[in-house]
Amino acid sequence: MPEGNITSVKNFIIAGFPGLHSNYYGLVAAVMFLVYVCILAGNGLFLILLAREKSLQKPMYFIIMNLSVCDVLFSTTTLPKIIARYWFNDGSISFLGCFIQMHFVHYFALVNGLVLGVMAFDRYVAVCSPLQYTNIVKDSTIFILCATAWLLARSCVLMMVIRAYPLPYCSANTIINCYCDHVSITKLACTDRTPYGFPAFVFAMIVLLFSLPFILFSYGAIILAVLRISSTHGRLKTLSTCSSQLIIIVLFFFPRFFNYLVPYIGVSFSADMQILVILLYSLLPPLVNPLIYCIRTKEVKETLSRSFAKSTFLQYMKQKVHVSTICSEL
C-alpha cells in the first residue's frame, strides 16, 4: 500500500506486557504507581533543596537539576497511561496523542544523554584542571551548555516524528510496549518498514553516541589523573567525587545499547522480557538517581539533615516528647 497522509487508525492501544495474566494487573499497576510516586518525591525533594539552599547553587548541582527535571518529565509522560491501562483497563491513546508521547519519550531521553555529557565535562575540568575550574566552569557556561542540550534535542527528535507520522496505519493498532516509541509505532505501518527501520536504528545509535565518546574520553582522562595521585587516600577521595556520575551513566547507556543491538546480533527475547528491559532503563535511573545524589554527595546529605532538623513536623514531635516527659515527671 502506498504511503499517504490518510489513515484508518484513529487511536492506538498500549498493550504493556502481552503475556501478563489479568490477575496480576492490579499488582503491576500498584508497583508502577509506587515507582511514579517515589520518582516524583525523590526528584521533587532534590529540586526543592537546590532551590532553597544557596550552598547547593553551584554548576554541578545545576546539571543535576536538569537531570532531575528531565527524569520527572519523562516519567510523567510515560507512567500515567500504562498505570491506567492496568488499573482501569484503559490502554487507549489517540493517534495524535501517541505521536506526541513518542516525541517526548525520545526528546527527554536525548536531553538526558546530552546533559550527562555536560556532567562529564564538569568532572573532567574539576579533576584534570582543578586550578582552572572556577575560570572555566562558570554558572553561565553550564547554563548555556544545558540550554543547548534542550534545544538541540528538540530538532533531532522532530525529524524522527516527521518521518513516522505520515506513514499509512490502516489495520493493527496494538502497541506491544508500555508507551509509544518510534519502533513500536512504525511496526504497525501498512508499508515496507525496511526504509524506515534501519535508518531509525542508525539515527538512534548516532543520538546515543553523540555524547558518549566525549563521556568516555573525559572519564578515561579522569582515571589516568587519579592513577597519578601518589596517596591512596587522595585517589579514593578523587574517585568518590565521580563515582555517582559513573553509576548514572552506566544505568543510562548500557541497557539502551543492549536493547537496540539485540535484534541485529541474532539474539532473541520474548516480548515481555524486552519490555522489562525497556522499563528498567526507562524508570530505574529516575528512581535511583536522587538516592545516588544523596548517598554519594556529602553536601546534599548535610543539607538534607539540616533541613529535616528544622522541619515543622520534627519540631512538633520534639515538643510533644518534651511535654510528655514533663507530665511523667509530675
Side-chain angles (χ1 to χ4, degrees):
M1 181 179 291
E3 297 180 17
N5 292 325
I6 301 176
T7 72
S8 59
V9 171
K10 301 302 181 184
N11 64 335
F12 291 99
I13 303 297
I14 296 178
F17 295 95
L20 184 66
H21 196 278
S22 58
N23 291 342
Y24 299 102
Y25 281 8
L27 176 61
V28 171
V31 170
M32 289 186 176
F33 179 74
L34 179 61
V35 168
Y36 185 45
V37 170
C38 289
I39 289 173
L40 294 182
N43 287 282
L45 175 62
F46 196 80
L47 290 173
I48 291 172
L49 284 178
L50 291 180
R52 291 181 55 185
E53 298 294 332
K54 292 185 178 181
S55 61
L56 297 181
Q57 294 174 6
K58 301 176 181 178
M60 181 62 208
Y61 295 111
F62 182 74
I63 298 171
I64 296 176
M65 182 196 73
N66 278 266
L67 290 177
S68 291
V69 170
C70 197
D71 287 342
V72 169
L73 293 176
F74 179 89
S75 302
T76 302
T77 299
T78 56
L79 276 175
K81 186 73 238 180
I82 190 61
I83 292 172
R85 185 264 179 273
Y86 283 122
W87 224 325
F88 308 110
N89 200 25
D90 179 19
S92 177
I93 183 171
S94 68
F95 186 87
L96 178 60
C98 194
F99 280 90
I100 291 174
Q101 188 185 60
M102 182 189 86
H103 170 267
F104 284 114
V105 162
H106 294 291
Y107 175 58
F108 293 133
L110 179 52
V111 171
N112 211 317
L114 294 174
V115 173
L116 288 175
V118 178
M119 180 184 288
F121 164 73
D122 175 87
R123 291 299 87 194
Y124 171 77
V125 177
V127 175
C128 298
S129 301
L131 298 180
Q132 299 297 321
Y133 181 81
T134 54
N135 294 327
I136 299 174
V137 183
K138 301 177 181 178
D139 291 345
S140 58
T141 304
I142 296 302
F143 177 82
I144 291 171
L145 290 175
C146 289
T148 301
W150 287 87
L151 294 174
L152 181 62
R154 174 74 69 184
S155 59
C156 292
V157 173
L158 276 177
M159 292 187 295
M160 183 186 296
V161 177
I162 290 171
R163 279 181 59 83
Y165 187 81
L167 296 178
Y169 302 91
C170 58
S171 56
N173 68 338
T174 301
I175 294 176
I176 309 299
N177 203 338
C178 288
Y179 49 74
C180 299
D181 68 340
H182 187 273
V183 174
S184 300
I185 294 177
T186 54
K187 277 183 179 178
L188 303 178
C190 302
T191 185
D192 181 14
R193 189 177 175 274
T194 305
Y196 303 93
F198 187 72
F201 166 74
V202 173
F203 178 77
M205 287 295 98
I206 292 173
V207 166
L208 271 178
L209 292 172
F210 187 82
S211 58
L212 187 58
F214 176 73
I215 291 172
L216 294 177
F217 165 78
S218 298
Y219 285 99
I222 288 171
I223 291 172
L224 291 176
V226 169
L227 292 176
R228 288 196 292 266
I229 299 175
S230 57
S231 76
T232 303
H233 175 73
R235 286 197 295 269
L236 293 175
K237 183 178 179 181
T238 306
L239 277 176
S240 67
T241 63
C242 304
S243 58
S244 57
Q245 288 81 15
L246 285 173
I247 295 172
I248 295 169
I249 288 166
V250 169
L251 288 175
F252 179 84
F253 282 105
F254 280 79
R256 279 177 166 80
F257 273 117
F258 175 79
N259 183 58
Y260 287 136
L261 291 175
V262 158
Y264 297 93
I265 59 177
V267 179
S268 60
F269 291 96
S270 67
D272 291 315
M273 182 59 68
Q274 189 172 10
I275 292 171
L276 180 61
V277 172
I278 292 172
L279 279 180
L280 285 176
Y281 73 62
S282 298
L283 301 179
L284 190 60
L287 182 63
V288 304
N289 282 354
L291 296 176
I292 294 173
Y293 306 149
C294 293
I295 293 172
R296 302 296 303 170
T297 310
K298 183 179 178 181
E299 285 179 300
V300 176
K301 286 191 292 186
E302 292 176 349
T303 302
L304 190 60
S305 298
R306 289 197 304 269
S307 298
F308 182 72
K310 295 176 183 177
S311 66
T312 304
F313 175 75
L314 188 61
Q315 295 299 325
Y316 173 77
M317 292 303 296
K318 285 181 177 179
Q319 186 178 5
K320 292 285 289 183
V321 171
H322 180 65
V323 170
S324 300
T325 303
I326 294 175
C327 291
S328 63
E329 288 177 353
L330 294 176

